[in-house]
Amino acid sequence: MRRLLVVTYYAPPLGLSGVMRVTKLCKFLPEFGWRPLLLTVKPVAYRGYDENLLQDLREARVFRTESFDPNRLYHLLRSRGRRQHPVLRNGVDHLARLLNSIAFPDAKIGWFPFASVAGRHIIDREKPAAVFATAPPFTSLLLGVRLKAHGHIPLVLDFRDPWPSGFRPPPRWQRSALRDLRRRLMEKADLVLAVNEGTAKAIGGAVVLPNGFDPDDFQSNVEPLPGLSIVHVGNVFGDSGQILSFVRALEQVPQARLYMVGGVDVKTRQQLRNNKQVVMLGVLPHGQACAMCKAGSVLLYVGKTGQPVGLKLYEYLGAGRPILVWGDGNEEAVAIVRSVGAGVDCGTNEGLVREFLTGRSLAEVDYSQHTSPFNRRLQARWLAERLESLVVAS
């Protein structure tokens, strides 16, 4: 079995969407002849943890290094376990924002020296056949190039977010330098991947390997939620306008209930807490979130500003339930939903919401035969084949 050095800052037991792509690839790659050697950071402060995801890394060897970055420092400074100290947490948040405006290419550059040393030792001892580096943070891509040079092995760079700095514009003084760095990194890579067409277009010259769903996460039987249930999975932090507009549209269907899975900012929570049509469940482990998707009558997709298409849409496809797309700026998500016959785009038309939720035209639709491009197991097979071709050609 060949070995693949996987460079990622975000990995289990961290949870939420940032870890899912690399975690599921690491789960399925061994089925196709590649054993992951996962190079990541030691425990850090983070918005969500999911210990159950560690089960997906059973076939991988995990190497954790020190780091000099705000998340790691905050973890070390906390007095006990994962208890949050608000003053310290706010200080770390301010430090992270400051470093993101002055550090290059991002605030995680303090991980580079530790991971670089560890990665070179892994290459010397384990002899991986290739390197796979995923961003953000974009420091991971620098590490990928450094380790490719050390091992003289093929390099795959993976963009989960648009460059140069995800969805928040970088400081003006950094923008030209970041574009130049992106170009140099991509020149060094043997294969560049992006999670969607929008990200591929933003960075240029990338092959789209979309996000997807793990079919194993949707095998268990679940009890349907009562009545007409709409499930929304995803954090709502400072980008709540479209969720709030959907809740207003939902008033036309008083028998419906919206179940929100994920974090919700304080202001939005206050606006919704007395709404009898809304049930806020908070952050759930990934397995429970998938079960909620299967249990709902309809799944609500609401995009985020600057995001071509979110991870939750692909997991909705795994659940096989009808999807309602709401809001503006969801062109790529709408194209995916239409391509598999999974649901409807309501835009911001309240009448279409009422028509969709009170009709039964999609209630029994089975679109599972069209979702194979988004199956994580099949995606891992595709990546394994591409890696094999890169190794043979090198």
Side-chain angles (χ1 to χ4, degrees):
M1 182 176 289
R2 294 194 188 275
R3 297 173 181 177
L4 176 68
L5 178 55
V6 177
V7 182
T8 178
Y9 183 93
Y10 298 108
L14 304 185
L16 305 180
S17 60
V19 310
M20 298 310 303
R21 182 174 173 88
V22 73
T23 300
K24 296 303 183 178
L25 286 174
C26 287
K27 173 184 176 179
F28 290 119
L29 278 170
E31 295 184 17
F32 306 104
W34 287 82
R35 185 181 188 188
L37 308 172
L38 190 68
L39 175 61
T40 188
V41 70
K42 289 182 178 180
V44 297
Y46 195 58
R47 299 189 309 275
Y49 297 83
D50 191 344
E51 301 280 349
N52 294 329
L53 291 176
L54 289 169
Q55 294 299 312
D56 290 336
L57 300 181
R58 285 176 294 180
E59 297 297 321
R61 291 188 60 189
V62 181
F63 302 85
R64 301 185 185 274
T65 78
E66 196 53 81
S67 179
F68 190 74
D69 71 79
N71 294 69
R72 175 62 181 158
L73 294 176
Y74 178 51
H75 177 85
L76 293 173
L77 290 172
R78 283 187 302 200
S79 57
R80 294 173 58 187
R82 291 180 180 149
R83 292 180 59 188
Q84 300 279 343
H85 188 288
V87 174
L88 185 57
R89 174 75 263 177
N90 288 338
V92 171
D93 286 343
H94 287 307
L95 176 59
R97 284 192 290 270
L98 175 63
L99 285 179
N100 271 327
S101 66
I102 61 176
F104 191 83
D106 50 47
K108 302 300 188 294
I109 191 62
W111 182 46
F112 184 92
F114 301 97
S116 178
V117 171
R120 282 176 282 164
H121 288 166
I122 293 168
I123 289 173
D124 293 341
R125 292 194 308 268
E126 304 294 335
K127 309 298 182 185
V131 180
F132 178 97
T134 183
F138 300 111
T139 291
S140 298
L141 306 186
L142 288 176
L143 284 164
V145 170
R146 175 70 183 86
L147 298 175
K148 167 190 168 75
H150 179 78
H152 305 287
I153 51 180
L155 168 66
V156 178
L157 297 183
D158 179 54
F159 288 81
R160 304 192 315 276
D161 286 347
W163 183 283
S165 61
F167 303 111
R168 293 183 178 180
R172 188 175 300 276
W173 70 269
Q174 283 190 350
R175 294 176 190 178
S176 176
L178 284 168
R179 286 193 294 267
D180 289 343
L181 177 61
R182 178 186 66 194
R183 177 180 51 79
R184 292 197 297 270
L185 292 173
M186 294 177 69
E187 287 173 353
K188 297 291 186 180
D190 298 276
L191 174 64
V192 179
L193 302 177
V195 295
N196 50 55
E197 296 288 350
T199 298
K201 182 178 180 180
I203 64 176
V207 176
V208 176
L209 177 62
N211 275 319
F213 64 90
D214 178 351
D216 297 341
D217 290 335
F218 299 95
Q219 292 302 309
S220 59
N221 294 321
V222 298
E223 194 72 23
L225 291 166
L228 178 54
S229 55
I230 301 99
V231 174
H232 174 271
V233 177
N235 294 321
V236 179
F237 292 133
D239 196 12
S240 61
Q242 299 199 89
I243 280 285
L244 294 175
S245 68
F246 178 79
V247 172
R248 289 192 294 272
L250 203 60
E251 293 173 0
Q252 298 190 35
V253 192
Q255 71 272 29
R257 295 293 179 270
L258 172 63
Y259 294 82
M260 297 179 62
V261 178
V264 179
D265 63 68
V266 174
K267 183 178 179 181
T268 306
R269 181 174 290 276
Q270 289 174 342
Q271 291 178 280
L272 294 176
R273 65 183 177 183
N274 295 322
N275 191 310
K276 295 181 179 180
Q277 287 187 272
V278 178
V279 181
M280 289 179 282
L281 300 175
V283 178
L284 298 179
H286 183 253
Q288 293 182 32
C290 292
M292 284 294 298
C293 290
K294 286 193 68 176
S297 306
V298 172
L299 302 176
L300 171 65
Y301 179 86
V302 178
K304 295 181 179 179
T305 302
Q307 184 182 56
V309 55
L311 173 65
K312 61 192 173 188
L313 179 66
Y314 302 95
E315 301 206 317
Y316 286 0
L317 296 175
R321 308 301 299 139
I323 298 170
L324 188 161
V325 182
W326 174 261
D328 299 320
N330 294 315
E331 290 81 7
E332 189 166 345
V334 169
I336 292 172
V337 169
R338 288 176 174 168
S339 72
V340 300
V344 64
D345 170 30
C346 291
T348 57
N349 188 320
E350 296 182 1
L352 289 179
V353 171
R354 182 180 64 254
E355 179 181 329
F356 181 70
L357 294 180
T358 56
R360 307 301 300 171
S361 59
L362 285 174
E364 306 300 329
V365 168
D366 177 11
Y367 55 82
S368 59
Q369 66 270 27
H370 303 300
T371 60
S372 58
F374 311 112
N375 184 313
R376 298 278 196 188
R377 177 177 274 110
L378 301 181
Q379 291 176 343
R381 182 176 68 184
W382 178 90
L383 179 58
E385 291 170 353
R386 293 300 297 266
L387 288 168
E388 186 67 28
S389 66
L390 292 177
V391 171
V392 170
S394 65

